[in-house]
Amino acid sequence: MFSIALLAIVLFGALARPEPAGAVPAQVAPDLSSIPVDSLPYRAAQIRYDTSLAALADAQQIATNGAAELDRLRGEDTRLTAALAEQTEAKKQATVDLASARASLRAIAVASYTDEPDGEPVGNAVGDFATGEDLDASTRALVRQALAGVVSTGQYDRATAARDTIGQLSHSINDALAQRSAARQRILQVQQLLDEAAASVARYADAVAAAQVDLGQTRVTANVLGTDFQLVALDAYRRAAATTVLRDPDCGLPWWALAGITRVESRHGTFGGSTLLYGGGTSQRIVGVPLDGENNTALIADSDSGLLDGDPVYDRAVGPMQFIPSTWRRYASDGNRDGVADPNNIYDAAEAAARYLCASGPMQTDDGMTRGFLSYNHSDAYAASVLRFAKAYAALGLPLP
């Protein structure tokens, strides 16, 4: 093992290296959901998520209000249509009544000028009676006139009432028609608004879903508040420590011991402008200087044909935990369970480092941890630096595995 601090690791390759196509995204432990994080991308993602959520809520409210108004308008249309049918029928009946009353009045008027059966007009019979027979005829004529007057008055009142009813119903029908026309016009408008709202709801729902994914990913890659490492790094350290408890219970390796090593080795995978990605990979390959025996480095000839470090002449330390190819072959691990053991992935590297450290003995005391750190790099200054950082991380009080 060779420390960045001692070997002055440099970046190998100028281009950012994306995560493998088949990599399994980091599944951060649920108990880390309450850990506060912060970063500019995370803040921006939070704003996008909140904005999309608010827009979705507005669109849903518009849709809800529109649906309620549409139901009300359709109910109003049904009510007005029924009222129009009833009023139209009543108007028809009033029209029939008016026609009937007028016909009766015409008949009475005609009858008033019709001669008696004996051929003598009613007026003459009343004015010139001389006998009892004439008196009886005149009396009958007067009775008929009185009855005609009564009937005529009744029919007149009936006709007047029918005309009034027709006028009132015509006015009511016109009002109902106007109201129904306005309601149907509004129905068309509301339906259009509902169609637009439905499209907006679908669009904003997609935006919220995308923003939520982005928020989750930027949270994972954001820094744990008050620390110098990302949440994905914390999850990798804790997962490796938890796995170690199952694999080697006597080791007692704490997550913060791994954090101390990575801080010294690669500044938690951020050396040289690199950063940890959502799945635990590094945005750029972190590769150390050639181990050519110069500048106080060990002389280690190439052992992997440059497969891991890109150097076919000398070996170099690689990844956030700075494994040399030969050590990686021995302790290679698949910490994120994606089927690939990659020293450039913080999950894989942390689990491999845990195995390597525990191979030196228990890591439950300061002396035990110092021994393990020295096995990682044979430098007292290195071991002291790692222990100092590890203790500082332990004092943060973050959740244990």
Side-chain angles (χ1 to χ4, degrees):
M1 290 298 155
F2 296 88
S3 154
I4 290 181
L6 298 177
L7 298 179
I9 294 178
V10 295
L11 293 176
F12 180 80
L15 298 177
R17 184 179 69 88
E19 293 190 81
V24 176
Q27 300 297 319
V28 175
D31 64 341
L32 292 182
S33 62
S34 61
I35 297 294
V37 300
D38 187 43
S39 71
L40 290 178
Y42 178 67
R43 292 182 191 179
Q46 185 70 63
I47 291 173
R48 286 194 296 272
Y49 176 74
D50 291 343
T51 301
S52 298
L53 200 61
L56 175 60
D58 288 344
Q60 289 173 329
Q61 188 60 57
I62 291 173
T64 299
N65 293 344
E69 183 179 4
L70 191 60
D71 285 344
R72 181 185 64 79
L73 288 169
R74 285 173 173 167
E76 183 71 1
D77 181 82
T78 300
R79 184 188 68 78
L80 289 170
T81 298
L84 280 168
E86 182 179 347
Q87 291 168 355
T88 300
E89 183 61 31
K91 184 181 177 181
K92 288 180 180 178
Q93 185 58 51
T95 302
V96 171
D97 289 345
L98 177 60
S100 175
R102 284 175 173 173
S104 295
L105 288 171
R106 282 195 299 271
I108 291 171
V110 170
S112 297
Y113 293 97
T114 301
D115 291 340
E116 285 298 295
D118 57 6
E120 183 179 350
V122 172
N124 293 336
V126 174
D128 299 323
F129 64 89
T131 65
E133 185 177 342
D134 292 335
L135 178 60
D136 290 339
S138 297
T139 299
R140 288 195 300 273
L142 288 173
V143 170
R144 284 198 296 271
Q145 284 183 326
L147 290 174
V150 171
V151 173
S152 177
T153 300
Q155 293 301 319
Y156 177 81
D157 290 342
R158 179 186 173 196
T160 300
R163 281 196 301 270
D164 291 343
T165 299
I166 291 171
Q168 293 171 1
L169 288 172
S170 296
H171 181 73
S172 296
I173 288 171
N174 288 336
D175 283 348
L177 285 171
Q179 291 177 33
R180 190 175 68 171
S181 177
R184 289 182 174 179
Q185 183 63 33
R186 181 59 182 166
I187 285 174
L188 294 176
Q189 294 172 349
V190 172
Q191 186 61 64
Q192 182 177 358
L193 290 174
L194 276 176
D195 293 342
E196 294 172 357
S200 295
V201 167
R203 183 171 66 254
Y204 289 128
D206 289 343
V208 167
Q212 189 170 27
V213 170
D214 188 36
L215 181 62
Q217 292 185 349
T218 55
R219 172 177 168 75
V220 169
T221 56
N223 269 30
V224 175
L225 205 62
T227 74
D228 57 353
F229 51 76
Q230 297 166 258
L231 186 64
V232 64
L234 174 61
D235 188 52
Y237 304 148
R238 293 173 72 252
R239 184 181 297 192
T243 301
T244 301
V245 171
L246 299 176
R247 184 183 61 245
D248 189 358
D250 294 334
C251 178
L253 175 71
W255 70 265
W256 36 270
L258 294 171
I261 287 181
T262 318
R263 170 61 178 80
V264 174
E265 293 289 351
S266 69
R267 299 174 189 165
H268 303 291
T270 64
F271 182 80
S274 178
T275 186
L276 294 178
L277 304 176
Y278 177 65
T282 54
S283 61
Q284 300 179 121
R285 296 187 66 189
I286 302 175
V287 182
V289 296
L291 302 179
D292 54 8
E294 301 292 330
N295 300 317
N296 296 319
T297 64
L299 175 60
I300 303 178
D302 172 64
S303 64
D304 67 339
S305 299
L307 180 64
L308 292 179
D309 56 17
D311 190 337
V313 180
Y314 300 102
D315 271 349
R316 299 174 182 236
V318 298
M321 303 294 285
Q322 287 294 279
F323 278 95
I324 59 175
S326 58
T327 306
W328 178 255
R329 283 196 300 273
R330 183 176 179 182
Y331 293 99
S333 302
D334 180 16
N336 62 357
R337 308 297 184 261
D338 67 349
V340 178
D342 182 3
N344 297 291
N345 185 285
I346 189 68
Y347 285 97
D348 297 352
E351 186 167 315
R355 293 176 56 199
Y356 183 88
L357 290 169
C358 288
S360 67
M363 297 279 292
Q364 302 178 25
T365 65
D366 287 359
D367 288 343
M369 282 188 284
T370 297
R371 181 183 62 250
F373 299 152
L374 285 172
S375 72
Y376 211 87
N377 186 300
H378 305 296
S379 166
D380 291 335
Y382 171 86
S385 180
V386 171
L387 184 61
R388 184 174 66 256
F389 281 116
K391 288 290 190 178
Y393 294 137
L396 294 174
L398 297 176
L400 296 175

